[in-house]
Amino acid sequence: MALAVLPQVMNSFVVSLMREEDVLTDEVPRHASEKALLGYCSFHHMLLALRARHPEIGEVAADRLRRFIQGQRSKAHAPDLGQLLVYTAVTQDVRWEKLAAAVLAESHVRGVRWLLRERPLLQSAVAAEDRLRWSFEGRATSLRLLMFQAFFLRHVARPDGETLAASLARYDRQFGQPTGPQRERLLRACREILRVDGWPAVYEGLGLRAPDGQELAEELCSAVHQSLQLGYHGNPTLLQGGGSAGAGAPPERVGIRKCLREAFKDMELQRARRADGPAGACGRRAAGPAPPPGRDGPRVSRGAFAALRGDSEEGSESEVE
């Protein structure tokens, strides 16, 4: 439940920081922005505390991130990019620097569906300058969310290589709040992110090398074709949860909770196999029948997987696509 709910709540705070009306005034109202930032940090504190008590949370988060980096990037494997980014804040095994390029590339593909609603001409051959401008304008909010997450991961979640245990201890001392300098740094970062007005600043904010205009335009054009091939746009049945089987059918819409449920189940099966050792099932049979549940038999940790049972399969897409 922690990996299904808390990242979604954290993303909602970021969305409130990056509202369009704040961009128009070129300013983040301090009171509102502080409330959103403190809420975000409070839930990050909660997530770290749950991870310390249930290590499988960090293990599953790291596994999902590694799979994404290795190429499992479709919505069937990563239903919500916004939630995936939060996983980086609860594992020491995967750093933002390893994830950044893959996340931005996938966000280009997932953003096509929304871009075409306002700019259907992007499906056709258009001038590179127009493609760059229209793509940025149509995805400004989601790009700002990516930039905020990148800043938070690098400068607050684990600054200067800080361990997660040290981050949790710091939060405990601060009652779940960032330190004074961190708070001011976050506020300044939000204002700077809201003033970003082009692709070079986006890449700089994400810690990536910015391609030249023609190279980026070609990448964005390629994203349109990838989106069509994956069924992300151009097929109304995608919005209805799937269509008929066969060539050209859109992929099954997989909710974040179903995806995590399967991940926790796989992890527990792997643990069970390791616990069996070389003897395997034969060794268990030789030891006699297992005692009834609740007696003196071995206790099986159900972990966070059990907390997901019975939940709705419907996932919610964040503004990051």
Side-chain angles (χ1 to χ4, degrees):
M1 179 65 77
L3 285 180
V5 175
L6 296 184
Q8 182 177 354
V9 175
M10 292 168 69
N11 281 327
S12 70
F13 283 111
V14 185
V15 171
S16 71
L17 281 169
M18 302 296 157
R19 293 174 302 180
E20 188 66 23
E21 55 264 33
D22 293 334
V23 179
L24 294 176
T25 60
D26 198 33
E27 182 179 355
V28 184
R30 185 177 180 91
H31 178 67
S33 62
E34 278 194 323
K35 287 180 63 178
L37 288 173
L38 296 182
Y40 188 92
C41 291
S42 293
F43 280 99
H44 181 225
H45 177 214
M46 185 185 301
L47 196 53
L48 287 179
L50 287 170
R51 175 197 174 275
R53 186 171 182 178
H54 303 284
E56 60 266 28
I57 290 176
E59 294 172 16
V60 168
D63 179 68
R64 305 311 299 175
L65 291 167
R66 290 194 197 97
R67 290 174 183 269
F68 186 88
I69 293 171
Q70 293 167 1
Q72 295 185 12
R73 301 176 188 175
S74 71
K75 291 185 178 181
H77 298 103
D80 190 312
L81 288 186
Q83 297 208 28
L84 185 79
L85 291 176
V86 177
Y87 296 171
T88 315
V90 291
T91 177
Q92 296 180 167
D93 299 329
V94 181
R95 302 285 296 181
W96 165 254
E97 291 76 11
K98 296 180 180 179
L99 185 68
V103 166
L104 183 58
E106 179 63 18
S107 74
H108 288 334
V109 178
R110 298 193 188 191
V112 168
R113 172 184 167 191
W114 311 103
L115 282 175
L116 295 182
R117 292 182 176 183
E118 299 294 329
R119 297 285 186 178
L121 281 177
L122 287 171
Q123 295 181 96
S124 310
V126 298
E129 295 79 6
D130 291 334
R131 186 174 298 279
L132 293 174
R133 184 176 70 257
W134 293 342
S135 296
F136 176 80
E137 292 173 353
R139 296 187 52 223
T141 298
S142 65
L143 292 171
R144 289 183 176 111
L145 298 185
L146 282 177
M147 294 172 67
F148 175 86
Q149 297 280 29
F151 181 88
F152 183 86
L153 291 169
R154 291 182 294 173
H155 300 290
V156 179
R158 282 202 297 134
D160 301 322
E162 184 179 72
T163 65
L164 292 179
S167 297
L168 177 58
R170 169 169 48 81
Y171 270 130
D172 288 342
R173 291 192 300 270
Q174 294 288 129
F175 301 99
Q177 302 300 302
T179 63
Q182 285 179 329
R183 183 182 307 189
E184 292 301 319
R185 195 172 186 183
L186 278 167
L187 287 169
R188 287 197 304 271
C190 286
R191 295 190 182 96
E192 292 171 1
I193 290 170
L194 287 173
R195 296 188 182 103
V196 167
D197 59 0
W199 287 105
V202 170
Y203 277 82
E204 181 181 358
L206 298 178
L208 295 170
R209 179 194 69 84
D212 61 45
Q214 186 61 41
E215 181 183 354
L216 179 55
E218 291 174 359
E219 183 178 348
L220 294 173
C221 183
S222 176
V224 175
H225 297 296
Q226 292 180 55
S227 174
L228 182 61
Q229 291 173 352
L230 290 168
Y232 291 171
H233 80 274
N235 195 327
T237 57
L238 177 64
L239 302 179
Q240 300 167 6
S244 58
E252 178 188 1
R253 181 73 172 271
V254 180
I256 187 69
R257 297 185 182 185
K258 179 179 179 180
C259 187
L260 286 172
R261 184 182 292 113
E262 293 173 351
F264 277 105
K265 185 176 182 179
D266 288 344
M267 183 194 65
E268 293 192 2
L269 287 174
Q270 292 172 12
R271 283 183 172 178
R273 293 191 188 103
R274 290 196 296 267
D276 284 343
C282 295
R284 289 197 304 272
R285 284 197 295 269
R295 300 285 179 86
D296 296 329
R299 298 179 61 186
V300 179
S301 172
R302 298 170 65 195
F305 169 56
L308 290 171
R309 290 178 180 161
D311 288 330
S312 168
E313 298 299 330
E314 292 297 324
S316 61
E317 288 187 301
S318 72
E319 292 286 340
V320 186
E321 291 111 20

